[in-house]
Amino acid sequence: MYDVAIIGGGLHGGFTAWHLKQREPDLKVCIIEKDQTYEHAASARSNAGIRVLFSQEESLRLSQYGHKIYGNFEELMGLEDQPAHLSFSKQGYLFIANTAEQAADMTQNYKIQSAMGAEADLIDATELKNRFPSLNVSDITLACHSPKDGWINPGQALSGLAKKNRALGVVYIKAQVSGLTKSQNRITEAVTETGEKIKSRWFVNAAGAWAPEITAMLGFDIPVRPLPRITFYFECRENLEPMGLTIDGRGCSFKPEGGGYVTGHTVFERAGAFDWTVHEDRFQSENWPLVAHRVPAFEAIQLKNAWACHYALSTWDGNALIGAWPGQPDNFLMTTGFSGHGLQHAPGAGRAISELILDGCFTTLDLTRFAASRVAEGRKEPERGVKA
Ligand SMILES: Cc1cc2nc3c(=O)[nH]c(=O)nc-3n(C[C@H](O)[C@H](O)[C@H](O)COP(=O)(O)OP(=O)(O)OC[C@H]3O[C@@H](n4cnc5c(N)ncnc54)[C@H](O)[C@@H]3O)c2cc1C
């Protein structure tokens, strides 16, 4: 009998367990994970960017907390005999506006970011060219640069967190949950594919893009769907200046990675089902024209690798779904739908779920804005500027 059983051992499940054990070391917590190599988990295949460039106070605060936890990861997750390593490249984030509408959103967002102490500069094309000479700025209306943001190594984060959790007494069960038993409006047990029954007082759905499969076991659907995304790794012939994680308003992103760059392009209409095919042809037809337009030196590149993964896209408003679902047992909580920003928000979301379990409400940061119950209320909370 566990106190808390978490379905999914990615960063959301892992940080939920970690926060629970920080507060209540004797709590019996397990993480049920079907693939402990995390080969297909978004947490392992993420771009792993952490930015303060949000329009909503809660999202910005969640990212600031992400900065704090990932920034102190080695100290927080290190064990006496095994230090934890996490590379955190603080090379900055760059948002580029190409239209008057995007520039207006960026200006509004910047006011909020400044008021909240986020370090960011609103810059014009001339200043942008000074900072990043490789960029084509001919069609740039405005940009926002946050020099202290960056990206982490997600594999190191996953393994460091899992090691620490195990040392704290979290039990990792390698199994696929295939059913949940409900009795008198409580979930009493998770049933695995091999028929094992795992009893617990609380259950947390931290199954990422698979979260709707878990709610389907209880007979309800949530507006979260897998959105296939292919990441392409390429190398450039020229040596360019250090660049940040760049999000271009024309619809692509890129960042330095190892000796080259990774790029991705989000097509929201593709959300719906898992697609693990690595469509290499899309590099030529979709990604390359966009990145080569922004960085002319990217005309001479070599595609070296590509892999597929999925956002847990919130089709409701692009934002997270946290907590219980109205009409369903209140000992069943979810943390999902984080779309393209869930790695940086995983520490804060894990803390929020631990508070719902231990305190019955959000205590450090009020995340009512992202409560899963807003779907029943008909309330949408989209970010301004970035779609998901
Ligand atoms: C290409 C890409 C780029 C991204 N870039 C960024 C970024 O720059 N910054 C950012 O903040 N976020 C980014 N994200 C989003 C971020 O990676 C995710 O939001 C986050 O990692 C989700 O973590 P999770 O723990 O919820 O899900 P996951 O990491 O997917 O973990 C879910 C786990 O649940 C397990 N599971 C599923 N079903 C079951 C079951 N029935 N039984 C047992 N286990 C099960 C899976 O095996 C998996 O390990 C990106 C995502 C992608 C795909």
Side-chain angles (χ1 to χ4, degrees):
M1 180 73 182
Y2 289 95
D3 294 306
V4 185
I6 299 165
I7 305 163
L11 289 170
H12 280 258
F15 274 116
T16 300
W18 183 76
H19 280 90
L20 286 165
K21 293 297 266 184
Q22 294 303 301
R23 292 259 316 263
E24 300 276 350
D26 293 335
L27 221 55
K28 289 189 182 137
V29 180
C30 70
I31 289 183
I32 314 167
E33 169 55 57
K34 64 178 174 178
D35 175 13
Q36 293 182 345
T37 69
Y38 299 107
E39 193 191 343
H40 296 106
S43 297
R45 296 187 171 207
S46 176
N47 279 348
I50 303 171
R51 59 179 153 103
V52 290
L53 304 182
F54 281 92
S55 70
Q56 291 164 325
E57 178 173 344
E58 292 85 342
S59 288
L60 211 157
R61 294 267 180 248
L62 283 171
S63 281
Q64 286 173 330
Y65 187 62
H67 257 290
K68 187 174 154 191
I69 297 293
Y70 291 123
N72 291 301
F73 194 85
E74 304 195 348
E75 192 185 316
L76 294 171
M77 303 299 163
L79 302 171
E80 240 170 59
D81 52 340
Q82 265 180 312
H85 297 294
L86 182 68
S87 96
F88 192 161
S89 309
K90 292 196 177 164
Q91 273 181 235
Y93 245 85
L94 180 67
F95 272 37
I96 291 175
N98 299 98
T99 64
E101 196 189 342
Q102 288 173 359
D105 283 346
M106 193 174 269
T107 308
Q108 278 290 100
N109 293 354
Y110 176 71
K111 283 185 195 150
I112 294 162
Q113 291 150 12
S114 309
M116 290 178 60
E119 282 192 52
D121 308 318
L122 214 48
I123 52 177
D124 62 11
T126 311
E127 176 56 20
L128 187 58
K129 190 79 182 165
N130 283 339
R131 292 188 193 188
F132 302 105
S134 301
L135 293 183
N136 162 23
V137 299
S138 61
D139 59 343
I140 287 177
T141 317
L142 197 66
C144 193
H145 181 214
S146 54
K148 297 210 170 142
D149 281 340
W151 54 91
I152 60 163
N153 178 318
Q156 289 176 338
L158 267 172
S159 64
L161 181 58
K163 268 187 201 152
K164 180 72 178 186
N165 276 341
R166 285 190 163 97
L168 292 171
V170 176
V171 177
Y172 277 72
I173 301 171
K174 187 180 174 323
Q176 176 161 347
V177 172
S178 58
L180 290 161
T181 310
K182 203 196 282 193
S183 164
Q184 294 172 341
N185 212 26
R186 305 281 297 164
I187 308 296
T188 53
E189 60 190 19
V191 184
T192 71
E193 270 208 326
T194 55
E196 192 189 349
K197 291 179 176 167
I198 300 161
K199 295 189 187 301
S200 179
R201 290 195 300 118
W202 290 90
F203 290 85
V204 179
N205 180 356
W210 296 268
E213 294 179 8
I214 306 297
T215 64
M217 294 171 195
L218 293 169
F220 72 98
D221 191 20
I222 51 172
V224 172
R225 292 292 179 268
L227 168 60
R229 274 257 330 219
I230 299 172
T231 304
F232 297 99
Y233 171 76
F234 64 87
E235 288 175 3
C236 176
R237 204 174 288 161
E238 278 182 48
N239 272 334
L240 309 179
E241 72 277 7
M243 285 202 241
L245 199 162
T246 305
I247 312 266
D248 191 333
R250 286 163 56 97
C252 72
S253 65
F254 57 88
K255 68 161 189 175
E257 176 85 40
Y261 298 85
V262 288
T263 179
H265 167 61
T266 309
V267 180
F268 289 94
E269 294 69 30
R270 292 192 180 130
F274 287 98
D275 177 5
W276 295 103
T277 314
V278 181
H279 300 274
E280 282 208 10
D281 54 311
R282 288 186 188 158
F283 183 69
Q284 286 274 357
S285 60
E286 297 179 1
N287 292 64
W288 194 15
L290 290 169
V291 292
H293 170 82
R294 186 54 60 219
V295 181
F298 288 168
E299 287 288 353
I301 56 176
Q302 252 196 325
L303 179 63
K304 294 278 188 172
N305 200 357
W307 55 91
C309 197
H310 299 82
Y311 283 179
L313 181 76
S314 157
T315 53
W316 181 246
D317 55 11
N319 254 329
L321 297 174
I322 300 178
W325 189 255
Q328 291 297 323
D330 57 12
N331 71 333
F332 178 77
L333 304 175
M334 66 184 83
T335 169
T336 184
F338 282 81
S339 307
H341 53 269
L343 175 136
Q344 61 206 288
H345 289 176
R351 181 180 63 181
I353 295 288
S354 75
E355 291 169 358
L356 291 178
I357 291 172
L358 300 175
D359 307 319
C361 59
F362 300 121
T363 46
T364 47
L365 174 63
D366 185 358
L367 293 181
T368 308
R369 183 189 280 249
F370 302 139
S373 56
R374 77 178 180 284
V375 176
E377 296 161 10
R379 178 164 57 85
K380 298 210 176 194
E381 301 284 0
E383 262 285 304
R384 182 180 34 231
V386 177
K387 206 170 162 192

